[in-house]
PDB file of all heavy atoms in Angstrom:
ATOM      1  N   THR A   1     -39.681   6.899  -5.856  1.00  0.00           N
ATOM      2  CA  THR A   1     -39.977   5.471  -5.739  1.00  0.00           C
ATOM      3  C   THR A   1     -38.764   4.660  -6.163  1.00  0.00           C
ATOM      4  O   THR A   1     -38.566   3.541  -5.701  1.00  0.00           O
ATOM      5  CB  THR A   1     -41.178   5.094  -6.611  1.00  0.00           C
ATOM      6  OG1 THR A   1     -40.899   5.429  -7.983  1.00  0.00           O
ATOM      7  CG2 THR A   1     -42.424   5.833  -6.152  1.00  0.00           C
ATOM      8  N   SER A   2     -37.959   5.218  -7.051  1.00  0.00           N
ATOM      9  CA  SER A   2     -36.683   4.624  -7.447  1.00  0.00           C
ATOM     10  C   SER A   2     -35.824   5.723  -8.052  1.00  0.00           C
ATOM     11  O   SER A   2     -36.332   6.703  -8.601  1.00  0.00           O
ATOM     12  CB  SER A   2     -36.893   3.483  -8.456  1.00  0.00           C
ATOM     13  OG  SER A   2     -37.507   3.955  -9.634  1.00  0.00           O
ATOM     14  N   TRP A   3     -34.514   5.560  -7.926  1.00  0.00           N
ATOM     15  CA  TRP A   3     -33.596   6.534  -8.507  1.00  0.00           C
ATOM     16  C   TRP A   3     -32.248   5.863  -8.700  1.00  0.00           C
ATOM     17  O   TRP A   3     -32.002   4.771  -8.177  1.00  0.00           O
ATOM     18  CB  TRP A   3     -33.467   7.784  -7.624  1.00  0.00           C
ATOM     19  CG  TRP A   3     -32.704   7.582  -6.340  1.00  0.00           C
ATOM     20  CD1 TRP A   3     -33.121   6.943  -5.217  1.00  0.00           C
ATOM     21  CD2 TRP A   3     -31.374   8.042  -6.074  1.00  0.00           C
ATOM     22  NE1 TRP A   3     -32.154   6.968  -4.246  1.00  0.00           N
ATOM     23  CE2 TRP A   3     -31.060   7.635  -4.745  1.00  0.00           C
ATOM     24  CE3 TRP A   3     -30.431   8.747  -6.807  1.00  0.00           C
ATOM     25  CZ2 TRP A   3     -29.842   7.916  -4.151  1.00  0.00           C
ATOM     26  CZ3 TRP A   3     -29.211   9.037  -6.214  1.00  0.00           C
ATOM     27  CH2 TRP A   3     -28.927   8.631  -4.900  1.00  0.00           C
ATOM     28  N   GLY A   4     -31.386   6.483  -9.488  1.00  0.00           N
ATOM     29  CA  GLY A   4     -30.103   5.860  -9.728  1.00  0.00           C
ATOM     30  C   GLY A   4     -29.170   6.727 -10.530  1.00  0.00           C
ATOM     31  O   GLY A   4     -29.481   7.882 -10.872  1.00  0.00           O
ATOM     32  N   VAL A   5     -28.013   6.155 -10.854  1.00  0.00           N
ATOM     33  CA  VAL A   5     -26.954   6.845 -11.589  1.00  0.00           C
ATOM     34  C   VAL A   5     -26.465   5.925 -12.696  1.00  0.00           C
ATOM     35  O   VAL A   5     -26.125   4.768 -12.441  1.00  0.00           O
ATOM     36  CB  VAL A   5     -25.774   7.231 -10.674  1.00  0.00           C
ATOM     37  CG1 VAL A   5     -24.725   8.012 -11.463  1.00  0.00           C
ATOM     38  CG2 VAL A   5     -26.258   8.023  -9.474  1.00  0.00           C
ATOM     39  N   ASP A   6     -26.433   6.436 -13.913  1.00  0.00           N
ATOM     40  CA  ASP A   6     -25.856   5.727 -15.055  1.00  0.00           C
ATOM     41  C   ASP A   6     -24.582   6.467 -15.473  1.00  0.00           C
ATOM     42  O   ASP A   6     -24.642   7.657 -15.815  1.00  0.00           O
ATOM     43  CB  ASP A   6     -26.813   5.701 -16.246  1.00  0.00           C
ATOM     44  CG  ASP A   6     -28.025   4.836 -15.996  1.00  0.00           C
ATOM     45  OD1 ASP A   6     -28.051   4.134 -14.970  1.00  0.00           O
ATOM     46  OD2 ASP A   6     -28.947   4.874 -16.828  1.00  0.00           O
ATOM     47  N   VAL A   7     -23.450   5.782 -15.460  1.00  0.00           N
ATOM     48  CA  VAL A   7     -22.185   6.364 -15.901  1.00  0.00           C
ATOM     49  C   VAL A   7     -21.894   5.858 -17.304  1.00  0.00           C
ATOM     50  O   VAL A   7     -22.003   4.654 -17.576  1.00  0.00           O
ATOM     51  CB  VAL A   7     -21.039   5.991 -14.945  1.00  0.00           C
ATOM     52  CG1 VAL A   7     -19.720   6.577 -15.438  1.00  0.00           C
ATOM     53  CG2 VAL A   7     -21.341   6.493 -13.534  1.00  0.00           C
ATOM     54  N   HIS A   8     -21.550   6.768 -18.202  1.00  0.00           N
ATOM     55  CA  HIS A   8     -21.220   6.386 -19.575  1.00  0.00           C
ATOM     56  C   HIS A   8     -19.952   7.120 -20.000  1.00  0.00           C
ATOM     57  O   HIS A   8     -19.347   7.852 -19.211  1.00  0.00           O
ATOM     58  CB  HIS A   8     -22.393   6.686 -20.518  1.00  0.00           C
ATOM     59  CG  HIS A   8     -22.899   8.094 -20.426  1.00  0.00           C
ATOM     60  ND1 HIS A   8     -22.343   9.139 -21.108  1.00  0.00           N
ATOM     61  CD2 HIS A   8     -23.923   8.628 -19.700  1.00  0.00           C
ATOM     62  CE1 HIS A   8     -22.978  10.249 -20.834  1.00  0.00           C
ATOM     63  NE2 HIS A   8     -23.956   9.976 -19.971  1.00  0.00           N
ATOM     64  N   ASP A   9     -19.546   6.926 -21.250  1.00  0.00           N
ATOM     65  CA  ASP A   9     -18.260   7.464 -21.711  1.00  0.00           C
ATOM     66  C   ASP A   9     -18.182   8.977 -21.616  1.00  0.00           C
ATOM     67  O   ASP A   9     -17.114   9.539 -21.342  1.00  0.00           O
ATOM     68  CB  ASP A   9     -17.998   7.037 -23.163  1.00  0.00           C
ATOM     69  CG  ASP A   9     -17.713   5.553 -23.289  1.00  0.00           C
ATOM     70  OD1 ASP A   9     -17.396   4.933 -22.245  1.00  0.00           O
ATOM     71  OD2 ASP A   9     -17.811   5.010 -24.403  1.00  0.00           O
ATOM     72  N   ASP A  10     -19.300   9.664 -21.841  1.00  0.00           N
ATOM     73  CA  ASP A  10     -19.283  11.126 -21.909  1.00  0.00           C
ATOM     74  C   ASP A  10     -19.772  11.810 -20.639  1.00  0.00           C
ATOM     75  O   ASP A  10     -19.943  13.019 -20.615  1.00  0.00           O
ATOM     76  CB  ASP A  10     -20.144  11.603 -23.090  1.00  0.00           C
ATOM     77  CG  ASP A  10     -19.628  11.076 -24.420  1.00  0.00           C
ATOM     78  OD1 ASP A  10     -18.394  11.007 -24.578  1.00  0.00           O
ATOM     79  OD2 ASP A  10     -20.446  10.724 -25.278  1.00  0.00           O
ATOM     80  N   GLY A  11     -20.008  11.056 -19.576  1.00  0.00           N
ATOM     81  CA  GLY A  11     -20.480  11.673 -18.339  1.00  0.00           C
ATOM     82  C   GLY A  11     -21.387  10.732 -17.577  1.00  0.00           C
ATOM     83  O   GLY A  11     -21.148   9.530 -17.508  1.00  0.00           O
ATOM     84  N   LYS A  12     -22.451  11.281 -17.020  1.00  0.00           N
ATOM     85  CA  LYS A  12     -23.378  10.451 -16.240  1.00  0.00           C
ATOM     86  C   LYS A  12     -24.793  11.013 -16.313  1.00  0.00           C
ATOM     87  O   LYS A  12     -25.006  12.170 -16.731  1.00  0.00           O
ATOM     88  CB  LYS A  12     -22.943  10.363 -14.775  1.00  0.00           C
ATOM     89  CG  LYS A  12     -23.046  11.653 -13.984  1.00  0.00           C
ATOM     90  CD  LYS A  12     -22.669  11.418 -12.534  1.00  0.00           C
ATOM     91  CE  LYS A  12     -22.709  12.704 -11.725  1.00  0.00           C
ATOM     92  NZ  LYS A  12     -21.669  13.653 -12.145  1.00  0.00           N
ATOM     93  N   ILE A  13     -25.742  10.187 -15.903  1.00  0.00           N
ATOM     94  CA  ILE A  13     -27.145  10.571 -15.806  1.00  0.00           C
ATOM     95  C   ILE A  13     -27.620  10.205 -14.408  1.00  0.00           C
ATOM     96  O   ILE A  13     -27.488   9.051 -13.988  1.00  0.00           O
ATOM     97  CB  ILE A  13     -28.009   9.834 -16.845  1.00  0.00           C
ATOM     98  CG1 ILE A  13     -27.504  10.114 -18.260  1.00  0.00           C
ATOM     99  CG2 ILE A  13     -29.478  10.236 -16.699  1.00  0.00           C
ATOM    100  CD1 ILE A  13     -28.132   9.210 -19.308  1.00  0.00           C
ATOM    101  N   VAL A  14     -28.144  11.177 -13.672  1.00  0.00           N
ATOM    102  CA  VAL A  14     -28.774  10.910 -12.384  1.00  0.00           C
ATOM    103  C   VAL A  14     -30.276  11.036 -12.602  1.00  0.00           C
ATOM    104  O   VAL A  14     -30.761  12.068 -13.053  1.00  0.00           O
ATOM    105  CB  VAL A  14     -28.299  11.885 -11.294  1.00  0.00           C
ATOM    106  CG1 VAL A  14     -28.869  11.478  -9.940  1.00  0.00           C
ATOM    107  CG2 VAL A  14     -26.778  11.929 -11.233  1.00  0.00           C
ATOM    108  N   TRP A  15     -31.020   9.979 -12.309  1.00  0.00           N
ATOM    109  CA  TRP A  15     -32.439   9.938 -12.621  1.00  0.00           C
ATOM    110  C   TRP A  15     -33.263   9.582 -11.386  1.00  0.00           C
ATOM    111  O   TRP A  15     -32.742   9.010 -10.431  1.00  0.00           O
ATOM    112  CB  TRP A  15     -32.724   8.920 -13.729  1.00  0.00           C
ATOM    113  CG  TRP A  15     -32.272   7.516 -13.420  1.00  0.00           C
ATOM    114  CD1 TRP A  15     -31.052   6.960 -13.696  1.00  0.00           C
ATOM    115  CD2 TRP A  15     -33.025   6.493 -12.751  1.00  0.00           C
ATOM    116  NE1 TRP A  15     -30.993   5.667 -13.253  1.00  0.00           N
ATOM    117  CE2 TRP A  15     -32.187   5.338 -12.671  1.00  0.00           C
ATOM    118  CE3 TRP A  15     -34.313   6.431 -12.222  1.00  0.00           C
ATOM    119  CZ2 TRP A  15     -32.620   4.151 -12.075  1.00  0.00           C
ATOM    120  CZ3 TRP A  15     -34.744   5.244 -11.625  1.00  0.00           C
ATOM    121  CH2 TRP A  15     -33.897   4.117 -11.570  1.00  0.00           C
ATOM    122  N   PHE A  16     -34.537   9.924 -11.424  1.00  0.00           N
ATOM    123  CA  PHE A  16     -35.448   9.527 -10.348  1.00  0.00           C
ATOM    124  C   PHE A  16     -36.865   9.450 -10.892  1.00  0.00           C
ATOM    125  O   PHE A  16     -37.217  10.131 -11.865  1.00  0.00           O
ATOM    126  CB  PHE A  16     -35.385  10.512  -9.173  1.00  0.00           C
ATOM    127  CG  PHE A  16     -36.083  11.822  -9.429  1.00  0.00           C
ATOM    128  CD1 PHE A  16     -37.388  12.041  -8.998  1.00  0.00           C
ATOM    129  CD2 PHE A  16     -35.420  12.862 -10.086  1.00  0.00           C
ATOM    130  CE1 PHE A  16     -38.042  13.246  -9.238  1.00  0.00           C
ATOM    131  CE2 PHE A  16     -36.057  14.065 -10.321  1.00  0.00           C
ATOM    132  CZ  PHE A  16     -37.370  14.266  -9.897  1.00  0.00           C
ATOM    133  N   GLU A  17     -37.677   8.609 -10.264  1.00  0.00           N
ATOM    134  CA  GLU A  17     -39.103   8.540 -10.529  1.00  0.00           C
ATOM    135  C   GLU A  17     -39.815   9.068  -9.293  1.00  0.00           C
ATOM    136  O   GLU A  17     -39.688   8.496  -8.201  1.00  0.00           O
ATOM    137  CB  GLU A  17     -39.527   7.105 -10.834  1.00  0.00           C
ATOM    138  CG  GLU A  17     -38.900   6.581 -12.120  1.00  0.00           C
ATOM    139  CD  GLU A  17     -39.497   5.264 -12.558  1.00  0.00           C
ATOM    140  OE1 GLU A  17     -40.414   4.760 -11.861  1.00  0.00           O
ATOM    141  OE2 GLU A  17     -39.059   4.734 -13.592  1.00  0.00           O
ATOM    142  N   PRO A  18     -40.528  10.171  -9.428  1.00  0.00           N
ATOM    143  CA  PRO A  18     -41.078  10.849  -8.250  1.00  0.00           C
ATOM    144  C   PRO A  18     -42.145  10.034  -7.532  1.00  0.00           C
ATOM    145  O   PRO A  18     -42.942   9.319  -8.153  1.00  0.00           O
ATOM    146  CB  PRO A  18     -41.662  12.146  -8.817  1.00  0.00           C
ATOM    147  CG  PRO A  18     -41.905  11.848 -10.260  1.00  0.00           C
ATOM    148  CD  PRO A  18     -40.842  10.885 -10.675  1.00  0.00           C
ATOM    149  N   ALA A  19     -42.136  10.149  -6.209  1.00  0.00           N
ATOM    150  CA  ALA A  19     -43.165   9.519  -5.375  1.00  0.00           C
ATOM    151  C   ALA A  19     -44.299  10.512  -5.143  1.00  0.00           C
ATOM    152  O   ALA A  19     -44.180  11.703  -5.434  1.00  0.00           O
ATOM    153  CB  ALA A  19     -42.556   9.090  -4.042  1.00  0.00           C
ATOM    154  N   THR A  20     -45.379  10.029  -4.611  1.00  0.00           N
ATOM    155  CA  THR A  20     -46.511  10.907  -4.306  1.00  0.00           C
ATOM    156  C   THR A  20     -46.364  11.586  -2.952  1.00  0.00           C
ATOM    157  O   THR A  20     -47.071  12.550  -2.659  1.00  0.00           O
ATOM    158  CB  THR A  20     -47.833  10.114  -4.329  1.00  0.00           C
ATOM    159  OG1 THR A  20     -47.733   9.015  -3.413  1.00  0.00           O
ATOM    160  CG2 THR A  20     -48.112   9.584  -5.730  1.00  0.00           C
ATOM    161  N   SER A  21     -45.429  11.088  -2.130  1.00  0.00           N
ATOM    162  CA  SER A  21     -45.191  11.703  -0.826  1.00  0.00           C
ATOM    163  C   SER A  21     -43.764  11.414  -0.393  1.00  0.00           C
ATOM    164  O   SER A  21     -43.136  10.459  -0.872  1.00  0.00           O
ATOM    165  CB  SER A  21     -46.179  11.187   0.224  1.00  0.00           C
ATOM    166  OG  SER A  21     -46.047   9.788   0.385  1.00  0.00           O
ATOM    167  N   LEU A  22     -43.279  12.222   0.521  1.00  0.00           N
ATOM    168  CA  LEU A  22     -41.905  12.089   1.000  1.00  0.00           C
ATOM    169  C   LEU A  22     -41.780  10.875   1.927  1.00  0.00           C
ATOM    170  O   LEU A  22     -42.582  10.699   2.848  1.00  0.00           O
ATOM    171  CB  LEU A  22     -41.512  13.367   1.745  1.00  0.00           C
ATOM    172  CG  LEU A  22     -40.024  13.662   1.933  1.00  0.00           C
ATOM    173  CD1 LEU A  22     -39.375  13.952   0.592  1.00  0.00           C
ATOM    174  CD2 LEU A  22     -39.846  14.854   2.873  1.00  0.00           C
ATOM    175  N   ALA A  23     -40.764  10.042   1.678  1.00  0.00           N
ATOM    176  CA  ALA A  23     -40.529   8.862   2.513  1.00  0.00           C
ATOM    177  C   ALA A  23     -39.736   9.249   3.758  1.00  0.00           C
ATOM    178  O   ALA A  23     -39.072  10.291   3.800  1.00  0.00           O
ATOM    179  CB  ALA A  23     -39.782   7.796   1.726  1.00  0.00           C
ATOM    180  N   ALA A  24     -39.789   8.397   4.772  1.00  0.00           N
ATOM    181  CA  ALA A  24     -39.071   8.677   6.021  1.00  0.00           C
ATOM    182  C   ALA A  24     -37.571   8.511   5.849  1.00  0.00           C
ATOM    183  O   ALA A  24     -36.781   9.194   6.510  1.00  0.00           O
ATOM    184  CB  ALA A  24     -39.586   7.752   7.130  1.00  0.00           C
ATOM    185  N   THR A  25     -37.136   7.606   4.983  1.00  0.00           N
ATOM    186  CA  THR A  25     -35.710   7.369   4.728  1.00  0.00           C
ATOM    187  C   THR A  25     -35.490   7.293   3.222  1.00  0.00           C
ATOM    188  O   THR A  25     -36.402   6.924   2.464  1.00  0.00           O
ATOM    189  CB  THR A  25     -35.231   6.061   5.384  1.00  0.00           C
ATOM    190  OG1 THR A  25     -36.024   4.970   4.894  1.00  0.00           O
ATOM    191  CG2 THR A  25     -35.359   6.136   6.903  1.00  0.00           C
ATOM    192  N   PRO A  26     -34.282   7.619   2.761  1.00  0.00           N
ATOM    193  CA  PRO A  26     -34.023   7.590   1.314  1.00  0.00           C
ATOM    194  C   PRO A  26     -33.966   6.181   0.754  1.00  0.00           C
ATOM    195  O   PRO A  26     -33.472   5.258   1.399  1.00  0.00           O
ATOM    196  CB  PRO A  26     -32.669   8.298   1.187  1.00  0.00           C
ATOM    197  CG  PRO A  26     -32.029   8.176   2.514  1.00  0.00           C
ATOM    198  CD  PRO A  26     -33.134   8.145   3.526  1.00  0.00           C
ATOM    199  N   ALA A  27     -34.488   6.009  -0.455  1.00  0.00           N
ATOM    200  CA  ALA A  27     -34.383   4.734  -1.160  1.00  0.00           C
ATOM    201  C   ALA A  27     -32.949   4.529  -1.633  1.00  0.00           C
ATOM    202  O   ALA A  27     -32.217   5.485  -1.877  1.00  0.00           O
ATOM    203  CB  ALA A  27     -35.341   4.725  -2.354  1.00  0.00           C
ATOM    204  N   SER A  28     -32.545   3.284  -1.742  1.00  0.00           N
ATOM    205  CA  SER A  28     -31.197   2.966  -2.227  1.00  0.00           C
ATOM    206  C   SER A  28     -31.123   3.189  -3.736  1.00  0.00           C
ATOM    207  O   SER A  28     -32.062   2.849  -4.469  1.00  0.00           O
ATOM    208  CB  SER A  28     -30.838   1.513  -1.905  1.00  0.00           C
ATOM    209  OG  SER A  28     -30.837   1.302  -0.506  1.00  0.00           O
ATOM    210  N   PRO A  29     -30.022   3.748  -4.225  1.00  0.00           N
ATOM    211  CA  PRO A  29     -29.921   4.021  -5.662  1.00  0.00           C
ATOM    212  C   PRO A  29     -29.584   2.770  -6.469  1.00  0.00           C
ATOM    213  O   PRO A  29     -29.031   1.801  -5.952  1.00  0.00           O
ATOM    214  CB  PRO A  29     -28.773   5.030  -5.735  1.00  0.00           C
ATOM    215  CG  PRO A  29     -27.910   4.685  -4.561  1.00  0.00           C
ATOM    216  CD  PRO A  29     -28.848   4.236  -3.472  1.00  0.00           C
ATOM    217  N   VAL A  30     -29.943   2.818  -7.747  1.00  0.00           N
ATOM    218  CA  VAL A  30     -29.521   1.807  -8.715  1.00  0.00           C
ATOM    219  C   VAL A  30     -28.303   2.365  -9.446  1.00  0.00           C
ATOM    220  O   VAL A  30     -28.406   3.385 -10.134  1.00  0.00           O
ATOM    221  CB  VAL A  30     -30.650   1.504  -9.723  1.00  0.00           C
ATOM    222  CG1 VAL A  30     -30.171   0.511 -10.786  1.00  0.00           C
ATOM    223  CG2 VAL A  30     -31.876   0.974  -9.009  1.00  0.00           C
ATOM    224  N   LEU A  31     -27.153   1.731  -9.286  1.00  0.00           N
ATOM    225  CA  LEU A  31     -25.911   2.209  -9.895  1.00  0.00           C
ATOM    226  C   LEU A  31     -25.573   1.375 -11.119  1.00  0.00           C
ATOM    227  O   LEU A  31     -25.573   0.144 -11.065  1.00  0.00           O
ATOM    228  CB  LEU A  31     -24.757   2.150  -8.896  1.00  0.00           C
ATOM    229  CG  LEU A  31     -24.910   2.982  -7.621  1.00  0.00           C
ATOM    230  CD1 LEU A  31     -23.688   2.821  -6.729  1.00  0.00           C
ATOM    231  CD2 LEU A  31     -25.131   4.455  -7.960  1.00  0.00           C
ATOM    232  N   ASP A  32     -25.301   2.047 -12.223  1.00  0.00           N
ATOM    233  CA  ASP A  32     -24.906   1.372 -13.457  1.00  0.00           C
ATOM    234  C   ASP A  32     -23.562   1.947 -13.883  1.00  0.00           C
ATOM    235  O   ASP A  32     -23.496   2.984 -14.540  1.00  0.00           O
ATOM    236  CB  ASP A  32     -25.962   1.583 -14.535  1.00  0.00           C
ATOM    237  CG  ASP A  32     -25.698   0.748 -15.775  1.00  0.00           C
ATOM    238  OD1 ASP A  32     -24.666   0.054 -15.811  1.00  0.00           O
ATOM    239  OD2 ASP A  32     -26.516   0.784 -16.708  1.00  0.00           O
ATOM    240  N   VAL A  33     -22.492   1.279 -13.484  1.00  0.00           N
ATOM    241  CA  VAL A  33     -21.131   1.736 -13.774  1.00  0.00           C
ATOM    242  C   VAL A  33     -20.480   0.703 -14.684  1.00  0.00           C
ATOM    243  O   VAL A  33     -20.391  -0.474 -14.324  1.00  0.00           O
ATOM    244  CB  VAL A  33     -20.298   1.896 -12.493  1.00  0.00           C
ATOM    245  CG1 VAL A  33     -18.896   2.397 -12.812  1.00  0.00           C
ATOM    246  CG2 VAL A  33     -21.003   2.851 -11.532  1.00  0.00           C
ATOM    247  N   PRO A  34     -20.046   1.092 -15.884  1.00  0.00           N
ATOM    248  CA  PRO A  34     -19.479   0.109 -16.811  1.00  0.00           C
ATOM    249  C   PRO A  34     -18.180  -0.479 -16.293  1.00  0.00           C
ATOM    250  O   PRO A  34     -17.411   0.165 -15.585  1.00  0.00           O
ATOM    251  CB  PRO A  34     -19.249   0.925 -18.095  1.00  0.00           C
ATOM    252  CG  PRO A  34     -19.132   2.344 -17.634  1.00  0.00           C
ATOM    253  CD  PRO A  34     -20.024   2.457 -16.426  1.00  0.00           C
ATOM    254  N   THR A  35     -17.941  -1.737 -16.642  1.00  0.00           N
ATOM    255  CA  THR A  35     -16.695  -2.415 -16.310  1.00  0.00           C
ATOM    256  C   THR A  35     -15.996  -2.811 -17.594  1.00  0.00           C
ATOM    257  O   THR A  35     -16.621  -3.014 -18.641  1.00  0.00           O
ATOM    258  CB  THR A  35     -16.962  -3.671 -15.470  1.00  0.00           C
ATOM    259  OG1 THR A  35     -17.850  -4.533 -16.199  1.00  0.00           O
ATOM    260  CG2 THR A  35     -17.606  -3.310 -14.144  1.00  0.00           C
ATOM    261  N   GLU A  36     -14.694  -2.900 -17.518  1.00  0.00           N
ATOM    262  CA  GLU A  36     -13.911  -3.287 -18.681  1.00  0.00           C
ATOM    263  C   GLU A  36     -14.026  -4.791 -18.898  1.00  0.00           C
ATOM    264  O   GLU A  36     -13.782  -5.576 -17.991  1.00  0.00           O
ATOM    265  CB  GLU A  36     -12.437  -2.902 -18.493  1.00  0.00           C
ATOM    266  CG  GLU A  36     -12.203  -1.397 -18.399  1.00  0.00           C
ATOM    267  CD  GLU A  36     -12.566  -0.677 -19.692  1.00  0.00           C
ATOM    268  OE1 GLU A  36     -12.417  -1.307 -20.771  1.00  0.00           O
ATOM    269  OE2 GLU A  36     -13.011   0.480 -19.633  1.00  0.00           O
ATOM    270  N   ALA A  37     -14.417  -5.181 -20.120  1.00  0.00           N
ATOM    271  CA  ALA A  37     -14.533  -6.601 -20.444  1.00  0.00           C
ATOM    272  C   ALA A  37     -13.192  -7.129 -20.943  1.00  0.00           C
ATOM    273  O   ALA A  37     -12.503  -6.475 -21.714  1.00  0.00           O
ATOM    274  CB  ALA A  37     -15.606  -6.804 -21.508  1.00  0.00           C
ATOM    275  N   SER A  38     -12.813  -8.298 -20.470  1.00  0.00           N
ATOM    276  CA  SER A  38     -11.568  -8.915 -20.919  1.00  0.00           C
ATOM    277  C   SER A  38     -11.819  -9.690 -22.204  1.00  0.00           C
ATOM    278  O   SER A  38     -12.887 -10.263 -22.414  1.00  0.00           O
ATOM    279  CB  SER A  38     -11.029  -9.867 -19.849  1.00  0.00           C
ATOM    280  OG  SER A  38     -11.967 -10.866 -19.561  1.00  0.00           O
ATOM    281  N   SER A  39     -10.835  -9.706 -23.071  1.00  0.00           N
ATOM    282  CA  SER A  39     -10.974 -10.378 -24.357  1.00  0.00           C
ATOM    283  C   SER A  39     -10.201 -11.686 -24.353  1.00  0.00           C
ATOM    284  O   SER A  39      -9.029 -11.736 -23.976  1.00  0.00           O
ATOM    285  CB  SER A  39     -10.453  -9.460 -25.483  1.00  0.00           C
ATOM    286  OG  SER A  39     -10.485 -10.123 -26.717  1.00  0.00           O
ATOM    287  N   THR A  40     -10.857 -12.755 -24.787  1.00  0.00           N
ATOM    288  CA  THR A  40     -10.193 -14.051 -24.883  1.00  0.00           C
ATOM    289  C   THR A  40     -10.352 -14.618 -26.288  1.00  0.00           C
ATOM    290  O   THR A  40     -10.408 -15.823 -26.478  1.00  0.00           O
ATOM    291  CB  THR A  40     -10.802 -15.026 -23.852  1.00  0.00           C
ATOM    292  OG1 THR A  40     -12.212 -15.144 -24.091  1.00  0.00           O
ATOM    293  CG2 THR A  40     -10.557 -14.541 -22.432  1.00  0.00           C
ATOM    294  N   GLN A  41     -10.454 -13.731 -27.277  1.00  0.00           N
ATOM    295  CA  GLN A  41     -10.664 -14.179 -28.642  1.00  0.00           C
ATOM    296  C   GLN A  41      -9.440 -14.912 -29.184  1.00  0.00           C
ATOM    297  O   GLN A  41      -8.302 -14.556 -28.877  1.00  0.00           O
ATOM    298  CB  GLN A  41     -10.959 -12.985 -29.555  1.00  0.00           C
ATOM    299  CG  GLN A  41     -12.392 -12.537 -29.551  1.00  0.00           C
ATOM    300  CD  GLN A  41     -12.651 -11.547 -30.679  1.00  0.00           C
ATOM    301  OE1 GLN A  41     -11.736 -10.900 -31.169  1.00  0.00           O
ATOM    302  NE2 GLN A  41     -13.901 -11.430 -31.079  1.00  0.00           N
ATOM    303  N   PRO A  42      -9.668 -15.928 -30.037  1.00  0.00           N
ATOM    304  CA  PRO A  42      -8.548 -16.533 -30.759  1.00  0.00           C
ATOM    305  C   PRO A  42      -8.012 -15.573 -31.815  1.00  0.00           C
ATOM    306  O   PRO A  42      -8.604 -14.518 -32.078  1.00  0.00           O
ATOM    307  CB  PRO A  42      -9.181 -17.775 -31.389  1.00  0.00           C
ATOM    308  CG  PRO A  42     -10.644 -17.452 -31.486  1.00  0.00           C
ATOM    309  CD  PRO A  42     -10.941 -16.578 -30.300  1.00  0.00           C
ATOM    310  N   ALA A  43      -6.919 -15.928 -32.452  1.00  0.00           N
ATOM    311  CA  ALA A  43      -6.282 -15.032 -33.421  1.00  0.00           C
ATOM    312  C   ALA A  43      -7.101 -14.892 -34.691  1.00  0.00           C
ATOM    313  O   ALA A  43      -7.102 -13.831 -35.325  1.00  0.00           O
ATOM    314  CB  ALA A  43      -4.880 -15.543 -33.751  1.00  0.00           C
ATOM    315  N   THR A  44      -7.800 -15.935 -35.092  1.00  0.00           N
ATOM    316  CA  THR A  44      -8.594 -15.897 -36.322  1.00  0.00           C
ATOM    317  C   THR A  44     -10.014 -16.371 -36.031  1.00  0.00           C
ATOM    318  O   THR A  44     -10.248 -17.143 -35.100  1.00  0.00           O
ATOM    319  CB  THR A  44      -7.971 -16.802 -37.405  1.00  0.00           C
ATOM    320  OG1 THR A  44      -7.882 -18.139 -36.898  1.00  0.00           O
ATOM    321  CG2 THR A  44      -6.582 -16.300 -37.775  1.00  0.00           C
ATOM    322  N   PRO A  45     -10.986 -15.924 -36.849  1.00  0.00           N
ATOM    323  CA  PRO A  45     -12.382 -16.345 -36.629  1.00  0.00           C
ATOM    324  C   PRO A  45     -12.544 -17.847 -36.833  1.00  0.00           C
ATOM    325  O   PRO A  45     -11.912 -18.435 -37.727  1.00  0.00           O
ATOM    326  CB  PRO A  45     -13.153 -15.558 -37.693  1.00  0.00           C
ATOM    327  CG  PRO A  45     -12.243 -14.468 -38.141  1.00  0.00           C
ATOM    328  CD  PRO A  45     -10.864 -14.970 -37.966  1.00  0.00           C
ATOM    329  N   PRO A  46     -13.373 -18.498 -36.046  1.00  0.00           N
ATOM    330  CA  PRO A  46     -13.672 -19.918 -36.273  1.00  0.00           C
ATOM    331  C   PRO A  46     -14.306 -20.144 -37.645  1.00  0.00           C
ATOM    332  O   PRO A  46     -14.869 -19.219 -38.251  1.00  0.00           O
ATOM    333  CB  PRO A  46     -14.654 -20.256 -35.144  1.00  0.00           C
ATOM    334  CG  PRO A  46     -14.378 -19.231 -34.084  1.00  0.00           C
ATOM    335  CD  PRO A  46     -13.993 -17.982 -34.821  1.00  0.00           C
ATOM    336  N   ALA A  47     -14.230 -21.344 -38.130  1.00  0.00           N
ATOM    337  CA  ALA A  47     -14.689 -21.654 -39.482  1.00  0.00           C
ATOM    338  C   ALA A  47     -16.188 -21.464 -39.656  1.00  0.00           C
ATOM    339  O   ALA A  47     -16.662 -21.193 -40.770  1.00  0.00           O
ATOM    340  CB  ALA A  47     -14.304 -23.086 -39.836  1.00  0.00           C
TER     341      ALA A  47
END
């Protein structure tokens, strides 16, 4: 009924939730791939 891939630092997890019957076409996966966050912090903490 749904399935997907989670990528993390140490590898990945491929998961699925089983349906009660086989579908005619495959469901689209849910992909969770981390992205690098950019830092815009000032040099010192605000007051």
Side-chain angles (χ1 to χ4, degrees):
T1 59
S2 61
W3 72 286
V5 183
D6 291 352
V7 179
H8 52 84
D9 290 343
D10 299 322
K12 68 177 178 293
I13 302 169
V14 186
W15 57 270
F16 75 96
E17 295 190 1
T20 56
S21 61
L22 200 67
T25 57
S28 298
V30 176
L31 300 180
D32 188 357
V33 181
T35 57
E36 296 296 329
S38 59
S39 176
T40 58
Q41 277 191 337
T44 58

